[in-house]
Amino acid sequence: MFKINQKANKIINTFFYSLAIIVIIFNRSNIVFSAVNNWVEISRTTEGIQYIDRNSLNNKGKSIIEIITKYSKIKANTSEKIEDNIYIMRINCISNEFKDISVNGKNNLSAKWEASNKDKLIDDVIYESCKNV
């Protein structure tokens, strides 16, 4: 009876350790919020401020990069921050298109490549992120 309990405990422990490893690997939100960020202000308008995390730049190959960005919405008359949103943005440095693959730690599996539509904040992020790639 004792040997059966030891085997059962070993199987259960192995299962839970494996499950924990899988959750850690596939839960990208832990990476976004646990890393030490090096926020650099890239652009500012009356509506908000755009930052990139210089420590997060990841070259995916074929002129595609991935970077963590933060958008701070501000009150136009006081410049007081109202809200922060953190994105993992993938950028095609050749076509100057982007897609937000994660917003505030939630993966966006349906993200599609899109143009900035002359959004100054996005244009500035693309330019600044791609200039050294």
Side-chain angles (χ1 to χ4, degrees):
M1 180 80 166
F2 182 68
K3 285 185 178 183
I4 294 173
N5 285 341
Q6 280 183 323
K7 284 184 179 182
N9 280 339
K10 189 174 182 178
I11 291 169
I12 290 170
N13 286 340
T14 302
F15 172 76
F16 283 114
Y17 286 128
S18 300
L19 183 61
I21 289 170
I22 290 169
V23 167
I24 290 169
I25 289 171
F26 289 105
N27 186 2
R28 295 177 68 162
S29 63
N30 290 342
I31 296 169
V32 171
F33 295 110
S34 67
V36 176
N37 300 105
N38 181 12
W39 296 120
V40 177
E41 183 178 323
I42 297 302
S43 191
R44 181 184 290 253
T45 65
T46 57
E47 292 85 30
I49 307 167
Q50 189 72 51
Y51 303 87
I52 62 171
D53 175 7
R54 291 232 189 260
N55 294 341
S56 70
L57 183 65
N58 185 0
N59 191 339
K60 300 301 240 177
K62 297 185 180 178
S63 297
I64 306 290
I65 61 170
E66 195 171 279
I67 193 159
I68 300 173
T69 67
K70 177 170 70 170
Y71 171 72
S72 296
K73 186 175 183 178
I74 58 174
K75 287 185 182 177
N77 54 348
T78 65
S79 295
E80 175 188 343
K81 286 187 183 179
I82 300 171
E83 162 185 20
D84 283 334
N85 291 297
I86 296 176
Y87 301 84
I88 298 177
M89 181 183 279
R90 202 164 276 172
I91 301 171
N92 182 325
C93 292
I94 293 175
S95 68
N96 291 326
E97 293 179 310
F98 75 99
K99 59 181 169 178
D100 295 325
I101 61 172
S102 175
V103 180
N104 293 328
K106 289 188 166 193
N107 290 337
N108 182 3
L109 301 176
S110 62
K112 303 219 180 317
W113 291 106
E114 56 186 292
S116 70
N117 293 321
K118 301 190 191 257
D119 181 315
K120 177 184 176 0
L121 298 175
I122 294 173
D123 283 338
D124 290 349
V125 166
I126 291 171
Y127 171 78
E128 189 65 32
S129 300
C130 289
K131 75 179 184 182
N132 295 319
V133 174

Short mmCIF file of all heavy atoms in Angstrom, two decimals, residues 39 43-52 68-75 81-87 89 100 104 119 121-122 125:
data_model
loop_
_atom_site.label_atom_id
_atom_site.label_comp_id
_atom_site.label_asym_id
_atom_site.label_seq_id
_atom_site.Cartn_x
_atom_site.Cartn_y
_atom_site.Cartn_z
N TRP A 39 11.49 52.78 -19.76
CA TRP A 39 10.57 53.60 -20.53
C TRP A 39 11.24 54.87 -21.01
O TRP A 39 11.85 55.60 -20.24
CB TRP A 39 9.34 53.98 -19.70
CG TRP A 39 8.49 52.83 -19.29
CD1 TRP A 39 8.20 52.44 -18.02
CD2 TRP A 39 7.81 51.91 -20.14
NE1 TRP A 39 7.38 51.34 -18.03
CE2 TRP A 39 7.12 51.00 -19.33
CE3 TRP A 39 7.72 51.77 -21.53
CZ2 TRP A 39 6.35 49.96 -19.83
CZ3 TRP A 39 6.95 50.72 -22.03
CH2 TRP A 39 6.28 49.84 -21.20
N SER A 43 6.95 60.26 -27.98
CA SER A 43 6.11 61.27 -28.62
C SER A 43 5.05 61.75 -27.65
O SER A 43 4.66 61.02 -26.72
CB SER A 43 5.47 60.66 -29.87
OG SER A 43 4.87 61.64 -30.66
N ARG A 44 4.57 62.98 -27.91
CA ARG A 44 3.55 63.57 -27.03
C ARG A 44 2.58 64.38 -27.87
O ARG A 44 3.00 65.10 -28.78
CB ARG A 44 4.24 64.45 -26.00
CG ARG A 44 3.33 65.11 -25.00
CD ARG A 44 4.12 66.03 -24.08
NE ARG A 44 4.97 65.30 -23.18
CZ ARG A 44 4.74 65.16 -21.87
NH1 ARG A 44 3.69 65.73 -21.32
NH2 ARG A 44 5.56 64.47 -21.11
N THR A 45 1.30 64.25 -27.57
CA THR A 45 0.27 65.10 -28.16
C THR A 45 -0.56 65.66 -27.01
O THR A 45 -0.31 65.34 -25.84
CB THR A 45 -0.64 64.31 -29.13
OG1 THR A 45 -1.36 63.33 -28.38
CG2 THR A 45 0.16 63.65 -30.24
N THR A 46 -1.57 66.42 -27.34
CA THR A 46 -2.44 66.95 -26.28
C THR A 46 -3.29 65.86 -25.65
O THR A 46 -3.79 66.03 -24.54
CB THR A 46 -3.36 68.06 -26.82
OG1 THR A 46 -4.12 67.54 -27.92
CG2 THR A 46 -2.57 69.27 -27.27
N GLU A 47 -3.43 64.70 -26.34
CA GLU A 47 -4.25 63.60 -25.82
C GLU A 47 -3.45 62.57 -25.03
O GLU A 47 -4.01 61.86 -24.21
CB GLU A 47 -4.97 62.87 -26.97
CG GLU A 47 -6.04 63.68 -27.66
CD GLU A 47 -5.45 64.56 -28.76
OE1 GLU A 47 -4.44 64.17 -29.37
OE2 GLU A 47 -6.00 65.64 -28.99
N GLY A 48 -2.14 62.45 -25.34
CA GLY A 48 -1.40 61.40 -24.66
C GLY A 48 0.09 61.41 -24.92
O GLY A 48 0.60 62.20 -25.73
N ILE A 49 0.77 60.51 -24.21
CA ILE A 49 2.22 60.35 -24.32
C ILE A 49 2.50 58.91 -24.68
O ILE A 49 1.92 57.98 -24.11
CB ILE A 49 2.92 60.68 -22.98
CG1 ILE A 49 2.50 62.06 -22.47
CG2 ILE A 49 4.44 60.60 -23.14
CD1 ILE A 49 2.90 62.31 -21.03
N GLN A 50 3.41 58.71 -25.62
CA GLN A 50 3.78 57.36 -26.08
C GLN A 50 5.21 57.07 -25.63
O GLN A 50 6.11 57.88 -25.82
CB GLN A 50 3.68 57.27 -27.59
CG GLN A 50 3.83 55.88 -28.14
CD GLN A 50 2.62 55.02 -27.85
OE1 GLN A 50 1.49 55.41 -28.10
NE2 GLN A 50 2.85 53.85 -27.31
N TYR A 51 5.41 55.88 -25.03
CA TYR A 51 6.71 55.44 -24.57
C TYR A 51 7.05 54.10 -25.22
O TYR A 51 6.15 53.35 -25.60
CB TYR A 51 6.71 55.19 -23.05
CG TYR A 51 6.31 56.35 -22.20
CD1 TYR A 51 4.96 56.59 -21.91
CD2 TYR A 51 7.26 57.20 -21.66
CE1 TYR A 51 4.59 57.66 -21.10
CE2 TYR A 51 6.89 58.26 -20.84
CZ TYR A 51 5.56 58.48 -20.56
OH TYR A 51 5.19 59.53 -19.76
N ILE A 52 8.34 53.80 -25.31
CA ILE A 52 8.77 52.45 -25.64
C ILE A 52 9.70 51.98 -24.52
O ILE A 52 10.33 52.80 -23.83
CB ILE A 52 9.49 52.34 -27.01
CG1 ILE A 52 10.76 53.18 -27.05
CG2 ILE A 52 8.55 52.69 -28.15
CD1 ILE A 52 11.61 52.94 -28.31
N ILE A 68 7.74 46.45 -26.40
CA ILE A 68 6.71 46.81 -25.44
C ILE A 68 6.57 48.33 -25.45
O ILE A 68 7.57 49.06 -25.39
CB ILE A 68 7.06 46.31 -24.03
CG1 ILE A 68 7.19 44.78 -24.03
CG2 ILE A 68 6.00 46.75 -23.03
CD1 ILE A 68 7.69 44.20 -22.73
N THR A 69 5.34 48.79 -25.56
CA THR A 69 5.07 50.23 -25.57
C THR A 69 4.06 50.56 -24.48
O THR A 69 3.33 49.69 -24.00
CB THR A 69 4.52 50.70 -26.93
OG1 THR A 69 3.22 50.13 -27.13
CG2 THR A 69 5.44 50.31 -28.07
N LYS A 70 4.04 51.81 -24.11
CA LYS A 70 3.06 52.28 -23.13
C LYS A 70 2.46 53.57 -23.64
O LYS A 70 3.17 54.47 -24.10
CB LYS A 70 3.73 52.51 -21.77
CG LYS A 70 2.77 53.05 -20.71
CD LYS A 70 3.36 53.06 -19.31
CE LYS A 70 4.45 54.08 -19.16
NZ LYS A 70 4.86 54.26 -17.74
N TYR A 71 1.14 53.65 -23.57
CA TYR A 71 0.43 54.87 -23.93
C TYR A 71 -0.21 55.43 -22.67
O TYR A 71 -0.97 54.72 -21.99
CB TYR A 71 -0.64 54.59 -24.99
CG TYR A 71 -1.54 55.79 -25.24
CD1 TYR A 71 -1.05 56.90 -25.92
CD2 TYR A 71 -2.83 55.82 -24.77
CE1 TYR A 71 -1.86 58.01 -26.14
CE2 TYR A 71 -3.65 56.91 -24.99
CZ TYR A 71 -3.16 58.01 -25.67
OH TYR A 71 -3.95 59.10 -25.88
N SER A 72 0.10 56.66 -22.35
CA SER A 72 -0.50 57.34 -21.20
C SER A 72 -1.47 58.38 -21.72
O SER A 72 -1.06 59.35 -22.38
CB SER A 72 0.57 58.01 -20.34
OG SER A 72 1.43 57.06 -19.77
N LYS A 73 -2.74 58.17 -21.45
CA LYS A 73 -3.76 59.15 -21.82
C LYS A 73 -3.69 60.29 -20.80
O LYS A 73 -3.58 60.04 -19.60
CB LYS A 73 -5.14 58.50 -21.81
CG LYS A 73 -6.25 59.36 -22.32
CD LYS A 73 -7.55 58.58 -22.38
CE LYS A 73 -8.64 59.45 -22.96
NZ LYS A 73 -9.89 58.72 -23.10
N ILE A 74 -3.74 61.54 -21.29
CA ILE A 74 -3.63 62.68 -20.39
C ILE A 74 -4.78 63.66 -20.61
O ILE A 74 -5.39 63.68 -21.67
CB ILE A 74 -2.28 63.42 -20.56
CG1 ILE A 74 -2.08 63.90 -22.00
CG2 ILE A 74 -1.12 62.56 -20.12
CD1 ILE A 74 -0.84 64.75 -22.22
N LYS A 75 -5.06 64.45 -19.58
CA LYS A 75 -6.03 65.53 -19.71
C LYS A 75 -5.36 66.66 -20.49
O LYS A 75 -4.25 67.07 -20.17
CB LYS A 75 -6.45 66.05 -18.34
CG LYS A 75 -7.35 65.14 -17.57
CD LYS A 75 -7.79 65.81 -16.28
CE LYS A 75 -8.68 64.89 -15.47
NZ LYS A 75 -9.06 65.50 -14.19
N LYS A 81 -1.97 62.55 -16.01
CA LYS A 81 -2.20 61.22 -16.56
C LYS A 81 -3.53 60.67 -16.07
O LYS A 81 -3.84 60.72 -14.89
CB LYS A 81 -1.08 60.26 -16.16
CG LYS A 81 0.21 60.50 -16.90
CD LYS A 81 1.23 59.43 -16.56
CE LYS A 81 2.54 59.74 -17.25
NZ LYS A 81 3.56 58.75 -16.95
N ILE A 82 -4.31 60.16 -17.01
CA ILE A 82 -5.62 59.59 -16.70
C ILE A 82 -5.53 58.07 -16.64
O ILE A 82 -6.12 57.43 -15.77
CB ILE A 82 -6.66 60.00 -17.77
CG1 ILE A 82 -6.80 61.51 -17.83
CG2 ILE A 82 -7.99 59.33 -17.50
CD1 ILE A 82 -7.64 62.00 -18.99
N GLU A 83 -4.78 57.49 -17.59
CA GLU A 83 -4.78 56.04 -17.75
C GLU A 83 -3.52 55.61 -18.50
O GLU A 83 -3.05 56.32 -19.38
CB GLU A 83 -6.05 55.67 -18.53
CG GLU A 83 -6.10 54.35 -19.17
CD GLU A 83 -7.37 54.16 -20.02
OE1 GLU A 83 -8.04 55.14 -20.41
OE2 GLU A 83 -7.66 53.00 -20.27
N ASP A 84 -2.98 54.44 -18.13
CA ASP A 84 -1.85 53.84 -18.83
C ASP A 84 -2.29 52.53 -19.46
O ASP A 84 -3.04 51.77 -18.83
CB ASP A 84 -0.68 53.53 -17.88
CG ASP A 84 0.10 54.77 -17.50
OD1 ASP A 84 0.12 55.73 -18.27
OD2 ASP A 84 0.72 54.76 -16.41
N ASN A 85 -1.86 52.28 -20.68
CA ASN A 85 -2.09 51.00 -21.34
C ASN A 85 -0.75 50.50 -21.87
O ASN A 85 0.00 51.26 -22.47
CB ASN A 85 -3.08 51.14 -22.50
CG ASN A 85 -4.47 51.44 -22.00
OD1 ASN A 85 -5.07 50.63 -21.31
ND2 ASN A 85 -4.98 52.61 -22.30
N ILE A 86 -0.48 49.22 -21.64
CA ILE A 86 0.78 48.62 -22.08
C ILE A 86 0.48 47.63 -23.20
O ILE A 86 -0.42 46.80 -23.09
CB ILE A 86 1.50 47.94 -20.90
CG1 ILE A 86 1.87 49.00 -19.86
CG2 ILE A 86 2.74 47.19 -21.38
CD1 ILE A 86 2.50 48.47 -18.61
N TYR A 87 1.27 47.75 -24.27
CA TYR A 87 1.08 46.94 -25.46
C TYR A 87 2.36 46.17 -25.78
O TYR A 87 3.45 46.68 -25.55
CB TYR A 87 0.78 47.82 -26.68
CG TYR A 87 -0.43 48.69 -26.55
CD1 TYR A 87 -0.37 49.93 -25.90
CD2 TYR A 87 -1.66 48.28 -27.05
CE1 TYR A 87 -1.49 50.73 -25.78
CE2 TYR A 87 -2.79 49.08 -26.94
CZ TYR A 87 -2.69 50.29 -26.29
OH TYR A 87 -3.80 51.08 -26.17
N MET A 89 3.82 45.30 -29.16
CA MET A 89 3.58 45.69 -30.54
C MET A 89 4.57 44.98 -31.45
O MET A 89 5.76 44.94 -31.16
CB MET A 89 3.73 47.21 -30.67
CG MET A 89 3.48 47.76 -32.04
SD MET A 89 3.77 49.56 -32.10
CE MET A 89 2.25 50.16 -31.43
N ASP A 100 -0.91 45.10 -32.56
CA ASP A 100 -0.81 44.97 -31.12
C ASP A 100 -1.17 43.54 -30.76
O ASP A 100 -2.34 43.15 -30.80
CB ASP A 100 -1.76 45.95 -30.42
CG ASP A 100 -1.38 47.40 -30.67
OD1 ASP A 100 -0.17 47.68 -30.76
OD2 ASP A 100 -2.28 48.25 -30.76
N ASN A 104 -2.37 45.24 -22.29
CA ASN A 104 -2.49 45.10 -20.84
C ASN A 104 -2.43 43.65 -20.37
O ASN A 104 -3.18 43.23 -19.50
CB ASN A 104 -3.74 45.80 -20.33
CG ASN A 104 -3.67 47.29 -20.50
OD1 ASN A 104 -2.60 47.88 -20.42
ND2 ASN A 104 -4.80 47.92 -20.75
N ASP A 119 -1.32 58.49 -37.51
CA ASP A 119 -1.34 58.73 -36.07
C ASP A 119 0.09 59.06 -35.64
O ASP A 119 0.98 58.21 -35.72
CB ASP A 119 -1.86 57.49 -35.34
CG ASP A 119 -1.93 57.66 -33.84
OD1 ASP A 119 -0.98 58.19 -33.24
OD2 ASP A 119 -2.94 57.23 -33.25
N LEU A 121 1.62 59.43 -32.82
CA LEU A 121 2.23 58.62 -31.77
C LEU A 121 2.71 57.27 -32.31
O LEU A 121 3.82 56.83 -32.02
CB LEU A 121 1.25 58.42 -30.61
CG LEU A 121 0.80 59.69 -29.88
CD1 LEU A 121 -0.25 59.37 -28.84
CD2 LEU A 121 1.98 60.42 -29.26
N ILE A 122 1.88 56.64 -33.12
CA ILE A 122 2.26 55.34 -33.70
C ILE A 122 3.39 55.52 -34.71
O ILE A 122 4.35 54.75 -34.72
CB ILE A 122 1.05 54.64 -34.33
CG1 ILE A 122 0.04 54.26 -33.23
CG2 ILE A 122 1.48 53.38 -35.08
CD1 ILE A 122 -1.26 53.72 -33.73
N VAL A 125 6.61 55.87 -32.84
CA VAL A 125 7.05 54.59 -32.28
C VAL A 125 7.69 53.73 -33.37
O VAL A 125 8.76 53.15 -33.17
CB VAL A 125 5.89 53.83 -31.60
CG1 VAL A 125 6.26 52.38 -31.32
CG2 VAL A 125 5.50 54.51 -30.31
#
